[in-house]
Amino acid sequence: MKDHDESEYFSPDLSDRERATFEIGIKLGALYHLLSGVPISSDQKIIESIEKGFEASITCQPYVKSVKLNIIKDKIVGDKSTELDYDEISGEKIKVTVIIEYKSIRVVAKIEWIEKLQYPLMFIEKIEEL
Amino acid sequence: MKDHDESEYFSPDLSDRERATFEIGIKLGALYHLLSGVPISSDQKIIESIEKGFEASITCQPYVKSVKLNIIKDKIVGDKSTELDYDEISGEKIKVTVIIEYKSIRVVAKIEWIEKLQYPLMFIEKIEEL
Amino acid sequence: MKDHDESEYFSPDLSDRERATFEIGIKLGALYHLLSGVPISSDQKIIESIEKGFEASITCQPYVKSVKLNIIKDKIVGDKSTELDYDEISGEKIKVTVIIEYKSIRVVAKIEWIEKLQYPLMFIEKIEEL
Amino acid sequence: MKDHDESEYFSPDLSDRERATFEIGIKLGALYHLLSGVPISSDQKIIESIEKGFEASITCQPYVKSVKLNIIKDKIVGDKSTELDYDEISGEKIKVTVIIEYKSIRVVAKIEWIEKLQYPLMFIEKIEEL
């Protein structure tokens, strides 16, 4: 039922490279907003479970080859020493690398907190022809 | 730093049982909206990673003793046979049991899709004094 | 189609007051996680549109009588003087009052950032018989 | 404080067009996941408030020139005739057009439910030099 081609909906003067960067933008925007506000503590097992859960999820999206999510432990305040002592995921704790392949184009993109911008930047690190 | 008592903010005529059901309501509301729209496929490993990730997360919240999340595989359409062939989490696929303990009160609550209501009902199954 | 009664799913020894505090807990948990990460700037019109949008949404949920959301302008950093100069909603910027009525019980609850707890506390301010 | 340039983080062989399609992908991915699960009813005022709230929010993001969100009323089940009689936003109800301008490139992109794909497609309708 989902074997139709979606390319007819796209502007015909879009290159494969442009389509590929569009696709990886979608994944970063989605992941960032899925992660925002997720409860977390500094317990290593908790962090890893959450990382693996979101990696598994984003891997389901179109053209994704790999997702490596790293929630930065040093920025998590809260080890559950009291009931209220935990944290939640936000931009400055997110570090992720996503790789997609669209046709012959491979793109590597990241979300990373940039101190001097004070901003969780989404950027394309590499784009190449396979 | 988080060793202060939050109880002073609550109405003084609130019983421990009323506080306990309030607390578990928060967890169900939070979990439901964290899950909504999360990409998923029918692959068993993907499902389990996502389940464990959200269980770990909600366990960080105040008074939570356990979380058992079950994304209903039979309702997931999409096994990644094509790029667009995956699904996302929504109310009818969520089955979860959360247990909290507030002071001497233990509450068991669930989210479950109820066919005849056509609704992902959040309900308290059990409330007891420990 | 949705005229069935959901009360049969609840523990029979749950009082109306306990049910009411459960219901309002759900709304606070839901609202908090819907708001987390929503892009915002310090422009008054932007703030008001976002507040009204979420007030309208939460009012659709069961037993809700009113929702008053206040995103705290003084805590928003970013007036769009540059492209990256905006902010996102997070716990310390949220102030909300929700009122529900379940049968003869009326509950007023809030989310508010408490400085000395360093926590976006959800609490019941008032519970009364109508 | 946010006057630094983020372009140094991007691959040097990325064209302005590729950057522009990346940027609009981010916005669509973000908006889709912010909308998923938001409570809604078929009341016209409720729908409009929610639409305007999210339009205002996404307009804060980098390079966005306009956002037109249309939650499709005919697909919303629930007019609050009973407490449980409401709906939530999901892919098949979302229709949105976002326009961004990055340097001299203008991109128009959409999210729209495509019946024959059974999928909420994100696609680029137009890309042009200003």
Side-chain angles (χ1 to χ4, degrees):
Chain A
M1 132 184 37
K2 287 175 172 176
D3 56 348
H4 293 279
D5 183 13
E6 84 275 15
S7 64
E8 61 179 287
Y9 299 94
F10 284 79
S11 166
D13 53 334
L14 197 73
S15 72
D16 287 352
R17 284 172 62 109
E18 290 155 10
R19 172 70 187 275
T21 61
F22 174 67
E23 290 294 333
I24 207 162
I26 294 171
K27 277 69 183 176
L28 298 191
L31 179 53
Y32 186 87
H33 288 281
L34 290 168
L35 286 170
S36 290
V38 170
I40 197 165
S41 78
S42 60
D43 180 285
Q44 190 60 34
K45 280 188 186 168
I46 297 283
I47 297 172
E48 281 174 23
S49 291
I50 293 172
E51 288 169 346
K52 283 183 204 313
F54 284 98
E55 287 173 359
S57 170
I58 297 299
T59 307
C60 299
Q61 293 193 310
Y63 312 111
V64 175
K65 287 306 155 201
S66 80
V67 182
K68 182 74 195 107
L69 173 62
N70 179 220
I71 308 297
I72 301 172
K73 191 179 173 173
D74 292 352
K75 292 191 177 166
I76 301 172
V77 177
D79 62 0
K80 290 298 295 178
S81 61
T82 67
E83 290 295 341
L84 303 190
D85 187 32
Y86 68 101
D87 207 336
E88 55 187 45
I89 300 176
S90 54
E92 79 280 4
K93 304 182 188 84
I94 298 172
K95 192 170 176 174
V96 69
T97 302
V98 178
I99 299 175
I100 70 150
E101 288 175 17
Y102 175 76
K103 293 186 177 170
S104 67
I105 308 299
R106 188 173 175 272
V107 187
V108 181
K110 291 188 170 179
I111 307 175
E112 208 174 308
W113 181 258
I114 307 295
E115 267 310 315
K116 67 176 179 181
L117 298 174
Q118 289 289 299
Y119 190 81
L121 192 67
M122 302 184 187
F123 60 99
I124 291 176
E125 195 178 67
K126 202 174 183 179
I127 176 166
E128 58 186 346
E129 183 108 24
L130 289 177
Chain B
M1 126 186 39
K2 284 177 173 174
D3 57 346
H4 293 278
D5 183 13
E6 84 275 14
S7 64
E8 60 178 289
Y9 299 93
F10 283 79
S11 167
D13 53 331
L14 197 73
S15 73
D16 287 352
R17 284 173 61 109
E18 290 155 11
R19 171 70 186 275
T21 59
F22 174 66
E23 291 293 333
I24 208 162
I26 294 171
K27 277 70 184 176
L28 298 190
L31 179 53
Y32 187 86
H33 288 281
L34 289 168
L35 287 170
S36 291
V38 170
I40 197 164
S41 78
S42 60
D43 180 284
Q44 189 61 33
K45 279 188 186 167
I46 296 282
I47 297 172
E48 280 174 23
S49 289
I50 293 172
E51 288 170 345
K52 282 184 205 314
F54 284 98
E55 287 173 359
S57 172
I58 296 299
T59 306
C60 299
Q61 292 193 310
Y63 312 112
V64 174
K65 288 304 153 201
S66 80
V67 181
K68 183 74 195 106
L69 173 61
N70 179 220
I71 308 296
I72 301 171
K73 192 178 172 172
D74 291 352
K75 292 190 177 166
I76 300 172
V77 177
D79 62 0
K80 291 297 295 175
S81 61
T82 67
E83 289 296 339
L84 302 190
D85 186 32
Y86 67 102
D87 206 336
E88 54 187 46
I89 300 176
S90 54
E92 79 280 3
K93 304 182 189 84
I94 298 171
K95 191 170 177 176
V96 68
T97 303
V98 178
I99 299 175
I100 69 150
E101 288 175 18
Y102 175 76
K103 292 187 178 170
S104 67
I105 308 299
R106 189 173 176 273
V107 186
V108 181
K110 292 187 169 178
I111 307 174
E112 210 176 305
W113 180 260
I114 306 295
E115 267 309 317
K116 68 176 178 180
L117 298 173
Q118 288 289 299
Y119 190 80
L121 192 67
M122 302 185 187
F123 61 98
I124 292 176
E125 193 177 68
K126 202 174 182 179
I127 176 167
E128 60 186 345
E129 184 110 22
L130 290 177
Chain C
M1 136 186 28
K2 286 177 172 175
D3 57 346
H4 293 278
D5 184 13
E6 84 275 16
S7 64
E8 61 180 286
Y9 299 93
F10 283 78
S11 165
D13 54 333
L14 197 73
S15 73
D16 288 352
R17 284 172 61 107
E18 290 155 10
R19 172 70 187 275
T21 61
F22 174 66
E23 290 293 333
I24 207 162
I26 294 171
K27 276 69 183 177
L28 298 191
L31 179 55
Y32 186 87
H33 287 281
L34 289 169
L35 287 171
S36 291
V38 170
I40 196 165
S41 78
S42 60
D43 180 284
Q44 189 61 32
K45 279 189 186 166
I46 297 283
I47 297 173
E48 280 173 24
S49 290
I50 294 173
E51 288 169 346
K52 282 184 205 311
F54 284 98
E55 286 174 359
S57 170
I58 296 299
T59 306
C60 299
Q61 292 193 309
Y63 312 112
V64 175
K65 288 304 154 201
S66 80
V67 181
K68 182 76 195 102
L69 173 61
N70 179 220
I71 307 298
I72 301 172
K73 190 179 174 173
D74 292 352
K75 293 191 177 166
I76 300 172
V77 177
D79 62 0
K80 289 298 294 176
S81 60
T82 67
E83 290 296 340
L84 302 190
D85 186 32
Y86 67 102
D87 206 336
E88 54 187 46
I89 300 177
S90 55
E92 79 280 5
K93 304 182 188 84
I94 299 171
K95 191 170 176 176
V96 68
T97 302
V98 178
I99 299 176
I100 69 149
E101 288 176 17
Y102 175 76
K103 293 187 177 170
S104 67
I105 308 299
R106 188 172 176 274
V107 187
V108 181
K110 292 188 169 178
I111 307 175
E112 208 175 308
W113 180 260
I114 307 295
E115 267 310 316
K116 68 178 179 181
L117 298 173
Q118 287 289 299
Y119 191 81
L121 192 67
M122 302 185 187
F123 61 98
I124 291 176
E125 194 177 66
K126 202 173 183 181
I127 176 167
E128 59 185 346
E129 183 109 23
L130 291 176
Chain D
M1 132 185 34
K2 284 176 173 175
D3 57 348
H4 293 278
D5 183 14
E6 84 275 16
S7 64
E8 61 179 288
Y9 299 93
F10 283 78
S11 167
D13 53 331
L14 197 73
S15 73
D16 287 352
R17 283 173 61 109
E18 290 155 10
R19 172 70 186 275
T21 60
F22 174 66
E23 290 294 333
I24 207 161
I26 294 171
K27 277 68 181 176
L28 298 190
L31 179 54
Y32 186 85
H33 288 281
L34 289 169
L35 287 170
S36 290
V38 170
I40 198 164
S41 78
S42 59
D43 180 284
Q44 189 60 31
K45 279 189 185 167
I46 296 282
I47 296 172
E48 281 173 23
S49 290
I50 293 172
E51 288 170 345
K52 283 183 202 315
F54 284 98
E55 287 173 358
S57 171
I58 295 300
T59 306
C60 299
Q61 291 193 311
Y63 312 111
V64 175
K65 288 304 154 202
S66 80
V67 182
K68 183 74 195 108
L69 173 61
N70 180 219
I71 307 297
I72 301 172
K73 192 179 173 174
D74 291 352
K75 292 191 177 167
I76 299 172
V77 178
D79 62 0
K80 290 297 295 177
S81 61
T82 67
E83 290 295 341
L84 302 189
D85 186 33
Y86 67 103
D87 206 336
E88 55 188 44
I89 300 176
S90 55
E92 79 279 4
K93 304 181 188 84
I94 298 171
K95 191 170 178 176
V96 69
T97 303
V98 178
I99 300 176
I100 70 151
E101 289 175 16
Y102 175 77
K103 293 187 177 169
S104 66
I105 308 299
R106 189 172 175 273
V107 187
V108 181
K110 292 189 169 178
I111 308 175
E112 210 176 305
W113 180 259
I114 307 294
E115 267 310 315
K116 69 177 178 181
L117 298 173
Q118 289 287 299
Y119 190 81
L121 192 67
M122 302 184 188
F123 61 99
I124 291 176
E125 195 178 66
K126 201 173 183 179
I127 176 167
E128 58 185 347
E129 184 108 22
L130 288 177

